[in-house]
Amino acid sequence: MIDLYTWGTPNGRKISIMLEEVGLPYNVHPINITKDDQFKPDFLKISPNNKIPAIVDPEGPDGKPISLFESGAILIYLAEKTGQLFPEEPRASYDTLQWLMFQMGGVGPMFGQAHHFRRFAPEQIPYAVDRYTNETRRLYGVMDKRLGDADYLAGADYTIADIATYPWAARHEWQGVDLSDFPNVKRWYDAIGARPAAQRGMAVPA
Ligand SMILES: N[C@@H](CCC(=O)N[C@@H](CS)C(=O)NCC(=O)O)C(=O)O
C-alpha cells in the first residue's frame, strides 16, 4: 500500500487523481500546511523541501521501499510503475514530458503566485496582482491553442500532463479566470471533471 502525504491543494491532488486513475491502493496522511506540519522532522525525512505531495512506496523498483517528493517525479514514477497514462511511443512520450514540464515550470508556479497575491497576501499589491493574473491568462491562452489542435495536452490521449494541470485549472475562480474565455480549455476541463477517478482524487484529503 502506497503512503501519500498530501493536503487539499492542486499539487497534492495531482497524485490522488493519479492513484485513483491507475487503481493503486493508498493510505492518505494529511500534512496540514497551514499548521506547519510540513516542517516536522519525520516529514522532512521524506520531503526535504518541506512541501507536499510526497509518497512512500514499500515496493520500489528494486523491491525495496522508495520515498519521493516533487509531484512531476511522482507522476512519472507511478506511470512507469503501472504502465499507464504515459505513452511509450517516443514522440508521444516526449509530448507528454514537454506538457508535464510546462505545468511544473509554468502553470504551477505562476498560478500559485496568482493565488498568493490575489487571495492570501496581507496587502493587495496591484503590480503583483496584475503580473501574475496576466501571466496566468497568457498560460490559459497557450493551453487553449494547444487544446484546439488536440483532445488532451499531449495529443490524442489523456496522460500525466493532463493530471498535473487539471487541479490547477480547477482553481480558475481564484485566478480571476472565466473558462468561457478559453473554450478549448473548458471542453478539456469538463471532460476530465467527468472522470470518476478525477472526482475521487479531487476529494482527497477528505
Ligand atoms: N514543485 C513542487 C511544489 C509543491 C508545493 O508547492 N507544495 C505546496 C502546497 S501546493 C506546499 O507544500 N507548501 C508548503 C510550504 O511551502 O511550506 C511539486 O510540484 O511537488
Side-chain angles (χ1 to χ4, degrees), residues 43 46-51 53-55 67-74:
F43 181 65
I46 300 166
S47 184
N49 195 30
N50 62 263
K51 292 187 193 297
I55 63 165
S67 73
L68 285 169
F69 64 98
E70 279 295 330
S71 58
I74 299 170

Side-chain angles (χ1 to χ4, degrees), residues 132-188:
Y132 293 111
T133 301
N134 291 342
E135 178 62 1
T136 294
R137 288 192 73 82
R138 188 190 69 77
L139 290 163
Y140 272 101
V142 173
M143 289 193 281
D144 202 59
K145 186 162 187 319
R146 170 59 176 163
L147 292 166
D149 297 334
D151 285 347
Y152 293 99
L153 287 169
D157 297 325
Y158 175 63
T159 68
I160 53 174
D162 302 294
I163 292 175
T165 311
Y166 173 79
W168 285 98
R171 293 259 165 99
H172 54 92
E173 287 173 4
W174 288 21
Q175 298 141 17
V177 167
D178 182 346
L179 285 189
S180 62
D181 292 344
F182 302 99
N184 299 310
V185 174
K186 171 102 173 66
R187 187 254 316 140
W188 164 92

Side-chain angles (χ1 to χ4, degrees), residues 27-177:
N27 292 314
V28 175
H29 302 268
I31 300 295
N32 186 338
I33 61 172
T34 71
K35 295 204 169 140
D36 285 352
D37 284 357
Q38 72 273 32
F39 297 106
K40 291 185 176 162
D42 281 353
F43 181 65
L44 289 173
K45 282 185 202 153
I46 300 166
S47 184
N49 195 30
N50 62 263
K51 292 187 193 297
I52 62 93
I55 63 165
V56 177
D57 182 355
E59 286 178 31
D62 49 5
K64 295 181 194 152
I66 183 171
S67 73
L68 285 169
F69 64 98
E70 279 295 330
S71 58
I74 299 170
L75 288 173
I76 292 170
Y77 172 76
L78 294 172
E80 290 186 338
K81 180 181 174 83
T82 59
Q84 296 183 57
L85 299 169
F86 187 5
E88 276 181 30
E89 188 275 314
R91 189 168 292 274
S93 167
Y94 289 119
D95 279 339
T96 303
L97 277 179
Q98 80 181 348
W99 286 101
L100 177 64
M101 297 301 156
F102 166 84
Q103 190 290 313
M104 294 296 297
V107 167
M110 295 300 116
F111 288 23
Q113 293 300 322
H115 293 178
H116 178 78
F117 285 107
R118 293 175 61 89
R119 286 183 70 97
F120 301 115
E123 57 176 307
Q124 284 285 295
I125 304 168
Y127 176 81
V129 169
D130 289 350
R131 175 179 168 82
Y132 293 111
T133 301
N134 291 342
E135 178 62 1
T136 294
R137 288 192 73 82
R138 188 190 69 77
L139 290 163
Y140 272 101
V142 173
M143 289 193 281
D144 202 59
K145 186 162 187 319
R146 170 59 176 163
L147 292 166
D149 297 334
D151 285 347
Y152 293 99
L153 287 169
D157 297 325
Y158 175 63
T159 68
I160 53 174
D162 302 294
I163 292 175
T165 311
Y166 173 79
W168 285 98
R171 293 259 165 99
H172 54 92
E173 287 173 4
W174 288 21
Q175 298 141 17
V177 167

